[in-house]
Amino acid sequence: MKIGLYFGSFNPIHTGHLIIASHVLNETNLQQVWFVVSPQNPFKQEHSLLNEYHRLHLVQLAVEEDTRLRASDMEFKLPKPSYTIDTLVYLKEKYPQHQFTIIMGSDSFQNLPKWKNASLLISDYEFIVYNRPDFVVTNKHEARVTILNAPLLTISATHVRDNIKAGKSIRYLVPDKVREYIEANKYFK
């Protein structure tokens, strides 16, 4: 099976993430997209993250009605912080029958040379990169890349969290089940 790996903190998952995943599935030959919840991103402060199991549960709620999407906790079993190359080595061993492609925004793709073992990622994996405002995709890395003009919403997890802290609605920014669970558990207050 051809699987796209969409890595992120998903703090929390929002409608923009889901639209991108659906667009990637519609426009490529991928059969599934796995949302890989990162317990600790090496580029982000850990204290600003909701507990990884809570974030995973929110992703599960968001994708439970779409069989093409899957929430993944595979990085929970690996050393922290999470490095993409370590996750991919683990996946290759556990699922040798699958072919994995990395999904990322053009902003992250620009930073690829800063990633752990970037040259190995570039030589061994394909990338699907969706354009983000103000970040033009340039393939200086000579990676195998497919560039998509995905429909973009200016929704961010930070915007969702800020709305919650300010007592504003997050309806339509996140799926209803995610909103209800966040509200019931008073997350991000």
Side-chain angles (χ1 to χ4, degrees), residues 16-64:
H17 294 130
L18 298 166
I19 288 171
I20 287 171
S22 180
H23 184 75
V24 166
L25 285 164
N26 288 340
E27 300 299 319
T28 68
N29 64 352
L30 295 180
Q31 295 162 285
Q32 282 190 340
V33 169
W34 293 2
F35 287 88
V36 182
V37 179
S38 300
Q40 184 185 350
N41 180 320
F43 297 110
K44 292 189 179 179
Q45 295 294 322
E46 185 176 13
H47 64 76
S48 66
L49 295 175
L50 185 65
N51 173 284
E52 63 251 36
Y53 291 98
H54 297 316
R55 290 183 283 122
L56 175 68
H57 185 68
L58 293 174
V59 173
Q60 290 167 333
L61 288 172
V63 304
E64 69 185 359

Side-chain angles (χ1 to χ4, degrees), residues 78-133:
L78 301 174
K80 294 179 187 175
S82 307
Y83 293 101
T84 301
I85 190 65
D86 298 336
T87 305
L88 289 162
V89 167
Y90 170 79
L91 281 170
K92 214 177 219 183
E93 290 174 7
K94 186 166 179 160
Y95 302 104
Q97 72 277 23
H98 295 323
Q99 178 183 337
F100 295 100
T101 300
I102 302 164
I103 301 168
M104 65 173 57
S106 55
D107 52 340
S108 296
F109 187 70
Q110 281 187 339
N111 293 323
L112 193 59
K114 297 177 185 172
W115 291 23
K116 179 181 176 184
N117 294 356
S119 59
L120 190 59
L121 284 170
I122 291 166
S123 66
D124 288 4
Y125 294 92
E126 293 181 27
F127 296 84
I128 295 174
V129 177
Y130 56 92
N131 280 311
R132 300 212 25 162

